[in-house]
Amino acid sequence: MDDGTSADETVRDRGVEQARRRDDKDQLREFAARFETPDDLYLDGNSLGPISDSAEQRLDEAVEQWREFGIKGWSSAEPPWFWYGERLGEQLAPLLGASPEECVATGTTTTNIHTLIGTFLDKLDDRTGILVNELDFPTDHYAIRAQLRQRGLDPDENLHLVESRDGRTIETEDVVAAMDEHEVGIVFMPSVLYRSGQLFDIETITREAHERDIYAGFDLAHSVGVVSHQLATHDVDFAVWCSYKYLNGGPGAVGGLYVNERHFGTTPALAGWWGHEKETQFDMDLEFTPAESAGAWQISAVPLFSSAPLLGALELHHEAGIDAIREKSVDLTSYLISLVDEELSAYGCEVGTPRDPDRRGGHVAIEHPDAYRISQALRDRGAVVDFRQPDVIRVCPSPLYVGFEEVWEFSQLTADIIEDDIYQSYDADPSGVT
Ligand SMILES: Cc1ncc(COP(=O)(O)O)c(C=O)c1O
């Protein structure tokens, strides 16, 4: 070109300007300053969210409370540690569309699946089948199989997998059809598939399940904090989630669970003293009286230092508002998908996530035969994404701290890495945490 810039540079300049204009209009833009990310392009918040000032502050406070109060912290700290799981439940409830009593922060996704699947299995009379799908995160199946085995039920006969038509997604109508094909007592589905990012239709699955006297439970690990849920309105029976992804509660942060209030009073499969009715917990009666709330499914004393950061992180979530978070998330993933189509499809990249925003969670799956090597090259250049077998790069523009310009930069970096064969110098064999 006359001024010495190439056509490519001009296109790139225009692209970055457009992205910046969108950032200028972003009402959540200021929140990024509240987070610290170790890399320039942190696009892995669906695996582990970064630290925020408020999460760190609550953690520091908890340490100080331990120093100041010792054992008295159970009642004198604010919030009192004795009620910490319930207090977090109150803060989580608006994100889940549930009453405060129906939510509690406790355990982990996997332990919560154990106790809730076990609890609902114990409620079943004869139809002991559990319906899951073949694209689930493996821990869900491990836990369900273990619960079936412990009741003398053969997992191979009682665990039914809905098959995927395309290897990426699960059709709602196939879930519903499978309810009729087997003797199902519980349907347990993810809200969002961990690999492709497909968002499930929780309302329809629950309604169809209930019409057949089937309990409906969900693993919300990939949606809590980025998708607005209506669990009570949709009459979901139970749900579980973790807090280290979009909720930014920290590595291994305390998980959470929801139990519909009509199931209060049921004895949890993995009962423990922390789920006892609070008022009489310290009577130390050998007979278990469940709390009249989701708190009954707590097992052990609250892990304060993996709970306190969540309290701080939730403050930011409430300041931003879940509807605004979801809106920005949809805008960011739509933008990313358009960039894959326009900039990266020429290099063999394909979108593996549903294009309909109503069927999409907070991340985008980019498929490429060399996904692993590209993901490693991206990480080494400051763009943290992750790889999932066999050919998926998961990219998560988490709305509280990622902007449109970063999504644009990611697309350009990916194009460069493929065009210049940079990824070819990486080992093709995935190992360790990917
Ligand atoms: C859908 C889903 N369920 C469960 C888990 C693991 O749960 P946890 O380690 O919290 O038990 C994950 C982890 O990424 C997940 O993505």
Side-chain angles (χ1 to χ4, degrees), residues 180-231:
D180 294 328
E181 280 160 26
H182 310 281
E183 293 287 297
V184 176
I186 302 171
V187 54
F188 188 69
M189 292 288 152
S191 50
V192 170
L193 280 176
Y194 78 98
R195 197 187 284 118
S196 72
Q198 177 202 352
L199 176 63
F200 279 51
D201 183 346
I202 291 179
E203 182 178 10
T204 302
I205 292 172
T206 305
R207 192 185 57 242
E208 295 284 346
H210 286 175
E211 280 174 11
R212 294 163 176 79
D213 274 338
I214 296 171
Y215 293 120
F218 292 89
D219 177 343
L220 310 179
H222 274 279
S223 62
V224 65
V226 75
V227 172
S228 174
H229 284 296
Q230 300 301 328
L231 299 185

Side-chain angles (χ1 to χ4, degrees), residues 28 31 35 52 54 91 95 223-227 243 245-249 310-325 398-401:
L28 300 184
F31 283 91
F35 289 86
S52 63
S54 54
Q91 298 303 312
L95 305 181
S223 62
V224 65
V226 75
V227 172
S243 309
K245 300 178 188 289
Y246 295 98
L247 290 178
N248 309 309
L310 177 59
L311 191 61
L314 284 170
E315 286 160 14
L316 286 189
H317 253 79
H318 290 311
E319 253 182 73
I322 187 66
D323 291 337
I325 289 172
S398 195
L400 283 180
Y401 50 87

Side-chain angles (χ1 to χ4, degrees), residues 30-344:
E30 303 306 318
F31 283 91
R34 311 280 302 270
F35 289 86
E36 268 180 65
T37 52
D39 301 87
D40 291 343
L41 303 177
Y42 194 79
L43 302 168
D44 210 4
N46 58 330
S47 273
L48 177 65
I51 191 165
S52 63
D53 55 9
S54 54
E56 187 172 5
Q57 191 189 334
R58 287 293 188 171
L59 179 59
D60 289 347
E61 264 172 37
V63 172
E64 276 316 305
Q65 288 172 350
W66 183 23
R67 198 189 316 280
E68 190 183 336
F69 295 117
I71 185 83
K72 288 178 278 182
W74 291 109
S75 45
S76 303
E78 185 43 51
W81 305 336
F82 189 52
W83 292 99
Y84 218 95
E86 284 81 359
R87 290 293 160 81
L88 279 170
E90 286 167 18
Q91 298 303 312
L92 286 159
L95 305 181
L96 294 147
S99 73
E101 296 75 27
E102 290 174 314
C103 299
V104 69
T106 188
T108 63
T109 317
T110 310
T111 54
N112 293 338
I113 293 172
H114 273 287
T115 188
L116 284 165
I117 288 289
T119 303
F120 282 84
L121 267 176
D122 288 342
K123 279 169 162 290
L124 299 174
D125 298 328
D126 44 357
R127 287 176 303 145
T128 48
I130 301 184
L131 191 62
V132 292
N133 76 75
E134 66 169 353
L135 301 180
D136 275 327
F137 192 82
T139 204
D140 298 32
H141 291 209
Y142 303 160
I144 295 171
R145 284 177 159 270
Q147 287 304 315
L148 286 166
R149 275 196 307 274
Q150 281 162 30
R151 282 159 184 78
L153 299 165
D154 183 348
D156 291 336
E157 281 174 19
N158 288 279
L159 190 64
H160 306 290
L161 276 61
V162 180
E163 285 176 15
S164 167
R165 297 183 193 186
D166 61 359
R168 295 165 167 163
T169 55
I170 299 290
E171 296 298 325
T172 305
E173 63 182 278
D174 293 347
V175 176
V176 176
M179 292 179 196
D180 294 328
E181 280 160 26
H182 310 281
E183 293 287 297
V184 176
I186 302 171
V187 54
F188 188 69
M189 292 288 152
S191 50
V192 170
L193 280 176
Y194 78 98
R195 197 187 284 118
S196 72
Q198 177 202 352
L199 176 63
F200 279 51
D201 183 346
I202 291 179
E203 182 178 10
T204 302
I205 292 172
T206 305
R207 192 185 57 242
E208 295 284 346
H210 286 175
E211 280 174 11
R212 294 163 176 79
D213 274 338
I214 296 171
Y215 293 120
F218 292 89
D219 177 343
L220 310 179
H222 274 279
S223 62
V224 65
V226 75
V227 172
S228 174
H229 284 296
Q230 300 301 328
L231 299 185
T233 308
H234 296 157
D235 210 24
V236 170
D237 292 287
F238 66 98
V240 299
W241 58 86
C242 64
S243 309
Y244 45 75
K245 300 178 188 289
Y246 295 98
L247 290 178
N248 309 309
V254 68
L257 60 82
Y258 153 92
V259 179
N260 191 299
E261 62 184 4
R262 77 173 161 278
H263 301 301
F264 291 176
T266 309
T267 299
L270 305 187
W273 79 308
W274 220 253
H276 194 278
E277 178 187 73
K278 283 292 200 202
E279 292 70 22
T280 53
Q281 182 176 333
F282 275 84
D283 291 356
M284 300 297 188
D285 194 332
L286 290 181
E287 197 169 320
F288 178 77
T289 305
E292 265 299 296
S293 68
W297 279 265
Q298 295 173 98
I299 300 171
S300 301
V302 65
L304 186 66
F305 300 129
S306 78
S307 304
L310 177 59
L311 191 61
L314 284 170
E315 286 160 14
L316 286 189
H317 253 79
H318 290 311
E319 253 182 73
I322 187 66
D323 291 337
I325 289 172
R326 172 67 178 159
E327 197 183 325
K328 179 174 172 189
S329 166
V330 167
D331 286 349
L332 284 168
T333 51
S334 299
Y335 178 53
L336 175 52
I337 287 172
S338 71
L339 290 175
V340 176
D341 289 342
E342 289 158 24
E343 308 273 331
L344 301 178

